[in-house]
Amino acid sequence: ATIGNGGVRMAPRLVESWTLADGTVHEADPVEPVQAMSSKTASELLRMMESTVDTDQGTGQTAKVDGYRLAVKTGTAEITGGTVSTVAGVVPADAPRLAVAVVLYNPKVGWLSSDSAAPLFGEGVTQAVRNLGVPASSEAADLYPIAPGQ
């Protein structure tokens, strides 16, 4: 989310307000944005993350969503007693509106994130952009060269 927000981190908040039995409404303290990285660094990272989806060498290919540019980071880790497969990213990469993460402990379909978490990420994002009316990407990606000589 920070990378998709131009390097600005917003602390997560689950509760906006609450109402007491007497009807008194209390609001949560405002969230202060923090510039966690430069916008130039965030833009370059977003470009790198998008290249994992849109190139033949990328591990995020199975997360693709028709009509949308995605920027994702895949990861597979061995843990005591099994495997964790993850995919986290933003959509659309050209104008981020959603940040989504999929974390699977001991996935039953493939242990690599490209075989398990990435397809689930794509299915979830497909439904989310449809349900929320997120506009499709309008420009082609400027991909980061991920192979020598590109």
Side-chain angles (χ1 to χ4, degrees):
T2 298
I3 295 166
N5 198 29
V8 177
R9 180 181 56 82
M10 299 294 290
R13 182 170 59 179
L14 297 176
V15 177
E16 186 174 304
S17 66
W18 61 95
T19 306
L20 300 178
D22 67 2
T24 307
V25 176
H26 292 271
E27 293 187 7
D29 292 336
V31 175
E32 296 295 325
V34 175
Q35 188 74 44
M37 68 181 73
S38 73
S39 61
K40 181 180 181 208
T41 299
S43 176
E44 204 63 15
L45 278 171
L46 200 63
R47 186 174 166 223
M48 289 176 188
M49 291 167 62
E50 188 171 4
S51 296
T52 71
V53 178
D54 260 0
T55 61
D56 291 340
Q57 299 88 8
T59 58
Q61 296 175 58
T62 55
K64 286 183 181 179
V65 175
D66 288 339
Y68 292 85
R69 291 171 42 194
L70 303 178
V72 303
K73 173 63 180 104
T74 62
T76 304
E78 289 186 31
I79 59 171
T80 303
T83 303
V84 177
S85 294
T86 62
V87 174
V90 296
V91 61
D94 48 327
R97 296 269 311 272
L98 301 172
V100 177
V102 172
V103 180
L104 300 175
Y105 293 91
N106 296 320
K108 303 298 181 217
V109 178
W111 61 274
L112 289 172
S113 59
S114 57
D115 297 330
S116 56
L120 182 57
F121 180 96
E123 290 176 25
V125 168
T126 297
Q127 292 302 316
V129 295
R130 184 177 302 141
N131 292 342
L132 297 171
V134 175
S137 297
S138 58
E139 298 177 7
D142 175 24
L143 300 178
Y144 196 85
I146 63 172
Q150 284 186 322

